Amino acid sequence: MSNKPLNLTPDERAELVLQAMTNEEKFAWLSGPMAIPLGDEPLPEGAIGSAAYYPAIPRLGIPAMQQSDASLGVSALGNIRPGDNATALASGLLLAATFNPQMAEETGKLVGREAFAKGFNVQLAGGANLIREPRGGRNFEYLSEDPLLTGIMAGHSVRGIQSEHVVSTVKHFAVNAQETGRVVVSSDLSEAAMRESDLLAFEIALEIGQAGAVMPGYNLVNGTWASENDFLLNKVLKGDWGYQGWVMSDWGATHSAAKAALAGLDVQSGANLDKQAWFDKPLREAVASGEVPQARIDDMVRRILRSLFAVGAIDYPARPGGDIDYMAHRLQAQREAEQGIVLLKNARALPLPKGAKRLLVVGAHADAGVLAGGGSSSVTPVGSLRLPGVDFMGIATDKIYHPSSPLHAIRAESGSAEVDYASGEDVRKVTELAQKADAVIFIAEEWRSEALDAEGLALNDEQNQLISKLAAVNKNTVVVLETGGPVTMPWLDEVAAVLAAWYPGSGGAEAIAGVLFGRVNPSGRLPVSFPASEQQLPNPEQLDPATTTSMPGVPVKGDIVHINYDIEGSDVGYRWYSRTQQTPLFRFGFGLSYTTFDWRDLKVTPNAAAIEASLTVTNSGERAGADVVQLYIQPKNKAYVPRLVAFARTELAPGESRVVTLTLEPKVIACWDTTQSAWQIAQGDYDIVAGRHAEDVSLQANLTLAAQQFSY
Ligand code: BGC
């Protein structure tokens, strides 16, 4: 039952509650430890056991804040709630590969529903960092290398979560691109480049999703911790973008009281991992001495209340024990995976013939489940396989395989074929079996985790060698990649087909099998470029993890490390390859289908309100399928590189045609002018290119623009 008073805005309601709160009640919300049992300290009464808990104020009808991770489902870090079931969504990269904002919203709703039913009202979701470093350990939690795609997908995911009365964060603000040394690394990047890339992704995500909270990263930005970075928090986020929600630090990422508070940080999270509970006694003292005005404390609390009211978390308080339809949610996760698996190569090997008599599935634990990424976002549905992983903030976290068995799914999908399985450890045995099989399906894996970057871009040697050996004895060898991001493929020319299945989540194996046998027509498109080698990257060398510190709460080793992202600036990913005229292994936006699509009649119409483009897409093949139209913009005759300026996914029956209309995002057309503090669109002629990937020119139209400036 709702007891919402009529006609009061979230701001007005927040103000009324704020006026009634005592100073003790306010400070109780500004700093808190992880809400897991720590040493001899029991959980606070009422805490469910999760990332954070802040007490209720029963006399004012305000529920406790119970905060849980993350974007890919409701995690139970280190198994703190043993036996707690949850649906594991596919990795963020897979979600972005769908190029389907509606899918982001629906899967966001799923996470919101499960969080709500478990009693959580704040979900630490909305990973929106750009993939600047393809070896980054948390790339599977993020979405893409492109600001528009990232912003749109993150925004819709957040909107979905919040529609279930659960506040979502966006994180980790900003330029938090790698895990090695994450607590001591300074991401150095000029303002203009940042505004056009990493900040733009967050800006679009916030516009669409209206996230109730923002979490700065562990890193420093241009030499200042993100959590006390006045430029990021006060100037850009709260100033230019008019952000109304609250800013909570990452866990153990607060470094001061007055400085952080005055720079725009509202809450110190995971305070037990910091040197001090900065936002408790030290902040009270700073207020007493006049260094921090009381009005700033009120602003912090008002922001929290406003966000809780805005999503309905106070009118509809979450309570543990709600019903969750896990079967329906698993199916939803499967549908997501079916749209986001990318077919990278197909030398007429797929779909596998229904009449195949004998198939061989190879891969570590491919009989048990599909691989998942590790760390705070790791979701563990009941039945997951747990292997030793990493020690994470003092908690042992496992390497998880979600209970969706590729072997079983392939058996179920293959009809009457005999399906053998081998883990791959016994090379002689597996090559013998491969010789007898009509096709070999190799499930390759690459595990990444929070706090743990990939070292290089290669699968391990055993897998690379085994793939070549299998391809040598069976020409129908299909590689399915379960990876945390791009990997190199030294065997690419030898194998018949390659699927990027990312970490595909609770319904992942069924989705893979569906694509392999053609029940599903693949429609994912790469949200990241796959480099041909590390040498193509702006920063080919990686920091040695042994020389630095990647965990909060432990003594810091070595100095602050600076990473120069001005090398590529805002030309992240495909724009970098374009600028440096390098050919990556696979381009951003690329993905094959079992059908063909014709495109014609690209028209670009600048209206007063917006620039629109349209084209006709026809499914010219024999299977139903989905196509993704990508529009890139590039000033004519200039050394600028293409930028994704709009995209649309469309489903078409065989022979069906549709006019697809797209609206171009003005901020992608513009460049940031630091001296004017404004976006500038340069006068002149532009190419609008409809492409099947970042360098493809399938159709082209001209757009002439007048000079234009806009600011906040
Ligand atoms: C992660 C955050 C997460 C938090 C709480 C941190 O280690 O960086 O993304 O929300 O832990 O679990």
Side-chain angles (χ1 to χ4, degrees):
M1 202 183 66
S2 161
N3 51 5
K4 184 176 176 185
L6 291 175
N7 297 331
L8 287 184
T9 64
D11 291 292
E12 289 162 339
R13 297 178 73 188
E15 189 59 38
L16 287 175
V17 175
L18 177 71
Q19 295 306 330
M21 280 171 79
T22 65
N23 225 30
E24 278 312 303
E25 286 164 344
K26 292 176 191 172
F27 271 95
W29 275 12
L30 300 186
S31 160
M34 288 180 90
I36 61 172
L38 294 164
D40 296 338
E41 293 255 323
L43 272 183
E45 209 186 312
I48 296 171
S50 64
Y53 164 83
Y54 298 91
I57 314 171
R59 68 184 186 89
L60 299 176
I62 305 296
M65 258 183 286
Q66 311 260 9
Q67 306 187 351
S68 164
D69 286 294
S71 303
L72 312 180
V74 181
S75 79
L77 183 64
N79 209 14
I80 44 179
R81 297 187 308 281
D84 187 23
N85 201 2
T87 306
L89 294 177
S91 71
L93 287 168
L94 184 147
L95 174 62
T98 70
F99 278 72
N100 184 353
Q102 197 54 42
M103 182 59 78
E105 197 144 335
E106 278 161 24
T107 50
K109 270 179 186 289
L110 180 157
V111 174
R113 272 197 303 274
E114 292 199 6
F116 186 84
K118 290 170 189 287
F120 295 112
N121 52 12
V122 179
Q123 189 69 10
L124 309 169
N129 288 102
L130 282 200
I131 297 183
R132 278 183 179 270
E133 171 48 85
R135 296 160 294 194
R138 294 185 91 169
N139 288 353
F140 70 91
E141 290 186 58
Y142 302 140
L143 293 152
S144 87
E145 64 191 24
D146 179 78
L148 183 71
L149 180 61
T150 299
I152 290 178
M153 298 303 278
H156 282 271
S157 169
V158 164
R159 192 196 269 176
I161 294 172
Q162 296 201 151
S163 70
E164 300 292 329
H165 311 307
V166 175
V167 169
S168 175
T169 53
V170 288
K171 67 187 189 183
H172 306 90
F173 191 63
V175 208
N176 187 193
Q178 73 170 49
E179 293 301 288
T180 307
R182 65 176 171 160
V183 298
V184 289
V185 123
S186 175
S187 300
D188 294 349
L189 182 62
S190 77
E191 178 182 348
M194 209 187 312
R195 296 254 194 189
E196 293 165 10
S197 57
D198 296 65
L199 293 183
L200 183 55
F202 279 99
E203 185 177 4
I204 295 171
L206 286 167
E207 266 168 27
I208 296 172
Q210 301 288 317
V214 169
M215 187 193 298
Y218 282 119
N219 56 309
L220 303 88
V221 175
N222 293 327
T224 305
W225 301 106
S227 60
E228 53 183 49
N229 195 308
D230 183 71
F231 169 76
L232 282 182
L233 306 181
N234 278 339
K235 166 98 181 71
V236 175
L237 177 68
K238 294 180 175 178
D240 293 345
W241 302 348
Y243 178 67
Q244 312 269 310
W246 87 93
V247 178
M248 62 164 86
S249 75
D250 202 340
W251 272 234
T254 306
H255 299 270
S256 59
K259 183 176 181 200
L262 295 174
L265 184 69
D266 298 310
V267 170
Q268 174 189 20
S269 317
N272 57 299
L273 296 165
D274 282 319
K275 286 209 182 92
Q276 289 193 48
W278 295 108
F279 274 30
D280 191 1
K281 200 160 165 269
L283 187 57
R284 292 175 201 247
E285 284 167 4
V287 174
S289 73
E291 199 183 357
V292 173
Q294 176 65 34
R296 178 71 189 98
I297 304 300
D298 290 349
D299 176 45
M300 294 168 173
V301 177
R302 190 186 294 111
R303 285 171 173 276
I304 302 172
L305 285 165
R306 182 196 188 275
S307 290
L308 292 172
F309 276 119
V311 304
I314 295 177
D315 299 322
Y316 306 91
R319 293 194 184 89
D323 287 337
I324 297 173
D325 187 344
Y326 285 114
M327 290 304 284
H329 282 190
R330 186 183 164 114
L331 203 57
Q332 171 76 46
Q334 180 184 330
R335 295 287 173 254
E336 177 194 17
E338 288 173 353
Q339 288 191 11
I341 290 174
V342 184
L343 178 60
L344 290 174
K345 171 174 179 178
N346 189 12
R348 283 193 285 277
L350 297 179
L352 292 167
K354 274 274 180 197
K357 290 205 175 48
R358 194 154 195 174
L359 299 171
L360 172 64
V361 175
V362 185
H365 313 295
D367 54 338
V370 288
L371 188 60
S376 60
S377 69
S378 166
V379 182
T380 48
V382 167
S384 295
L385 170 66
R386 290 167 175 275
L387 300 179
V390 280
D391 190 48
F392 177 78
M393 305 204 287
I395 312 156
T397 57
D398 298 328
K399 178 180 180 188
I400 304 286
Y401 289 79
H402 291 143
S404 172
S405 153
L407 175 62
H408 295 170
I410 288 167
R411 282 197 173 133
E413 198 95 32
S414 69
S416 57
E418 183 108 349
V419 185
D420 292 324
Y421 168 70
S423 69
E425 272 161 321
D426 183 342
V427 177
R428 228 192 48 191
K429 179 181 155 209
V430 73
T431 32
E432 265 170 36
L433 286 171
Q435 276 162 353
K436 292 187 222 142
D438 294 323
V440 176
I441 299 146
F442 188 95
I443 313 277
E445 65 159 50
E446 188 239 21
W447 191 59
R448 297 194 193 180
S449 168
E450 179 172 345
L452 198 68
D453 288 331
E455 285 178 39
L457 285 165
L459 296 174
N460 62 29
D461 290 345
E462 291 78 27
Q463 293 185 91
N464 276 337
Q465 286 160 13
L466 188 52
I467 293 170
S468 287
K469 286 200 174 108
L470 293 171
V473 298
N474 191 312
K475 63 178 179 13
N476 293 324
T477 295
V478 175
V479 177
V480 177
L481 296 167
E482 290 178 3
T483 69
V487 289
T488 50
M489 304 178 207
W491 32 259
L492 182 61
D493 291 340
E494 301 156 32
V495 302
V498 182
L499 287 180
W502 318 102
Y503 298 145
S506 278
E510 290 72 15
I512 291 170
V515 172
L516 289 173
F517 289 93
R519 173 177 54 77
V520 174
N521 188 350
S523 59
R525 301 289 187 266
L526 289 183
V528 279
S529 314
F530 276 46
S533 80
E534 292 82 0
Q535 295 317 313
Q536 294 189 326
L537 301 175
N539 276 301
E541 298 298 322
Q542 282 177 288
L543 190 60
D544 177 359
T547 61
T548 184
T549 310
S550 305
M551 282 297 174
V554 299
V556 169
K557 218 191 268 178
D559 291 331
I560 301 296
V561 185
H562 289 264
I563 306 218
N564 180 7
Y565 290 116
D566 276 319
I567 297 173
E568 75 274 29
S570 64
D571 292 333
V572 182
Y574 64 93
R575 288 159 57 177
W576 167 252
Y577 299 111
S578 184
R579 183 171 108 192
T580 53
Q581 298 182 347
Q582 302 186 84
T583 308
L585 192 59
F586 291 102
R587 304 250 184 212
F588 173 89
F590 177 79
L592 301 170
S593 167
Y594 296 152
T595 186
T596 48
F597 297 97
D598 289 343
W599 295 1
R600 62 188 157 81
D601 296 339
L602 176 65
K603 291 193 191 80
V604 181
T605 345
N607 301 322
I611 305 172
E612 288 200 337
S614 66
L615 72 166
T616 304
V617 181
T618 305
N619 181 345
S620 49
E622 272 149 32
R623 279 169 193 268
D627 199 8
V628 176
V629 175
Q630 303 155 45
L631 286 189
Y632 296 88
I633 185 164
Q634 194 168 7
K636 257 196 216 312
N637 310 324
K638 288 243 179 72
Y640 289 118
V641 295
R643 292 163 146 202
L644 183 73
V645 71
F647 61 87
R649 184 190 148 90
T650 181
E651 311 244 355
L652 293 165
E656 190 182 353
S657 284
R658 181 168 306 135
V659 176
V660 175
T661 306
L662 307 100
T663 305
L664 279 58
E665 167 61 47
K667 286 193 194 109
V668 176
I669 306 174
C671 292
W672 181 261
D673 181 337
T674 309
T675 52
Q676 302 276 320
S677 257
W679 294 100
Q680 304 271 11
I681 293 183
Q683 179 266 328
D685 287 335
Y686 292 77
D687 287 329
I688 302 295
V689 172
R692 290 172 158 95
H693 58 70
E695 290 279 304
D696 176 51
V697 183
S698 284
L699 296 173
Q700 193 167 322
N702 187 65
L703 173 68
T704 305
L705 292 173
Q708 205 187 319
Q709 173 172 323
F710 47 95
S711 51
Y712 296 99

